[in-house]
Amino acid sequence: MDTIKTDACILVEDLRKWAKYGKLLSGVIHNLNTPLMGITGRVELISFKMPDLKGLDQITRQLDSINDILSALAFMVDKDTNVEPLVMDLNELVGKVHSFMRADMKYKHRLDVNLELQDSIILETIPCYLQNAIVEILGHCLKFCEDDGTIEIRTMLDSGEALVSIQRTGEHVSNEMIETIPDQYNDNDPAFNLYLAYYFVGKIEARLDVKNIEEGVVYELRIPMKKGKEK
């Protein structure tokens, strides 16, 4: 899919306008991290002095969860402002997107999401478009994956390309959904995430293949390696 309707392009440009709030959001994240570190330190100190006190391990896990989300958000805000090619670790980006998506209750609590990352894959790409493509693919998965379903996210090198494979259970994707672009912008359209994913993929000269399989659907995002290489 090489084109996308004007309304979708307008949406993307509107999203870019929000980039001006990136610095403000980064400051908010920093201001949240400071008390979070203080609370974590106090809990560790209490745990050291009172090892038999119950419930501290649960508090620590919750604090770690908050820290993971803030770290992922900070990473994505930083990368979302980067529209120039950058040599980066694909696995780090995919891992941060996964942590960010865990803020969604269905993604975190009602689906079985598994992450399998190959050894570090270094490539040159535009982080903004790549991470948004992955977010939109996962957003499409959330709309079609039933509760108690499964999402498998894998990275690997395949035939000289970096591959992000996202497999989900649930309803198949129709040919009409893959081949037809909405006549107008409608974020309630269950296919709209997929159309945006195609748009972002085109920005980095990558390829997105959507394949129906017996268990559900596989989305294969293939990124040219260019100057990158496997460590």
Side-chain angles (χ1 to χ4, degrees):
M1 186 176 298
D2 298 323
T3 62
I4 192 164
K5 291 293 184 180
T6 302
D7 288 329
C9 295
I10 292 173
L11 170 65
V12 173
E13 291 304 315
D14 285 343
L15 290 174
R16 290 188 64 183
K17 291 177 184 178
W18 282 91
K20 64 183 180 182
Y21 296 105
K23 290 184 179 180
L24 176 61
L25 183 54
S26 295
V28 171
I29 294 170
H30 174 75
N31 288 331
L32 288 174
N33 270 326
T34 301
L36 179 63
M37 291 175 62
I39 295 170
T40 301
R42 290 291 182 179
V43 171
E44 291 176 351
L45 180 60
I46 294 172
S47 178
F48 177 75
K49 291 186 174 181
M50 306 173 67
D52 295 329
L53 187 62
K54 296 181 179 180
L56 291 179
D57 56 339
Q58 184 177 0
I59 295 174
T60 299
R61 285 196 300 270
Q62 295 299 325
L63 290 171
D64 288 343
S65 179
I66 295 171
N67 183 66
D68 287 344
I69 292 174
L70 288 177
S71 174
L73 183 56
F75 178 92
M76 295 185 70
V77 167
D78 176 65
K79 295 298 180 286
D80 223 24
T81 61
N82 194 327
V83 293
E84 298 296 331
L86 177 70
V87 176
M88 62 175 301
D89 188 337
L90 174 64
N91 288 339
E92 181 184 21
L93 185 143
V94 172
K96 293 297 185 183
V97 170
H98 169 66
S99 296
F100 172 76
M101 292 297 297
R102 283 174 57 81
D104 183 280
M105 291 299 100
K106 180 176 180 179
Y107 188 92
K108 182 177 181 179
H109 295 293
R110 303 204 298 274
L111 298 175
D112 181 17
V113 182
N114 300 306
L115 200 61
E116 185 179 324
L117 306 179
Q118 184 177 307
D119 291 343
S120 183
I121 300 174
I122 307 300
L123 74 161
E124 182 183 68
T125 188
I126 302 177
C128 170
Y129 297 127
L130 177 56
Q131 74 178 17
N132 277 293
I134 297 171
V135 168
E136 295 300 342
I137 294 170
L138 290 173
H140 188 261
C141 291
L142 288 176
K143 290 181 179 179
F144 288 89
C145 197
E146 298 178 355
D147 288 359
D148 298 324
T150 299
I151 296 177
E152 305 277 350
I153 305 170
R154 299 182 178 91
T155 64
M156 64 193 77
L157 286 175
D158 183 62
S159 301
E161 297 176 311
L163 171 63
V164 180
S165 173
I166 300 174
Q167 179 177 326
R168 66 162 174 84
T169 56
E171 182 181 341
H172 283 174
V173 176
S174 67
N175 291 331
E176 180 182 5
M177 183 180 294
I178 297 174
E179 298 172 358
T180 305
I181 299 174
D183 292 331
Q184 60 183 356
Y185 164 62
N186 178 7
D187 59 0
N188 291 319
D189 186 328
F192 198 72
N193 294 95
L194 189 56
Y195 302 129
L196 283 179
Y198 276 114
Y199 174 83
F200 289 123
V201 165
K203 285 289 189 178
I204 54 174
E205 300 179 352
R207 186 172 82 252
L208 175 59
D209 297 323
V210 181
K211 305 174 183 179
N212 291 319
I213 59 175
E214 183 176 354
E215 299 84 1
V217 180
V218 177
Y219 309 79
E220 292 188 345
L221 174 54
R222 294 180 174 274
I223 310 111
M225 291 298 294
K226 294 185 179 180
K227 295 180 181 180
K229 61 182 179 178
E230 184 184 14
K231 282 185 176 180

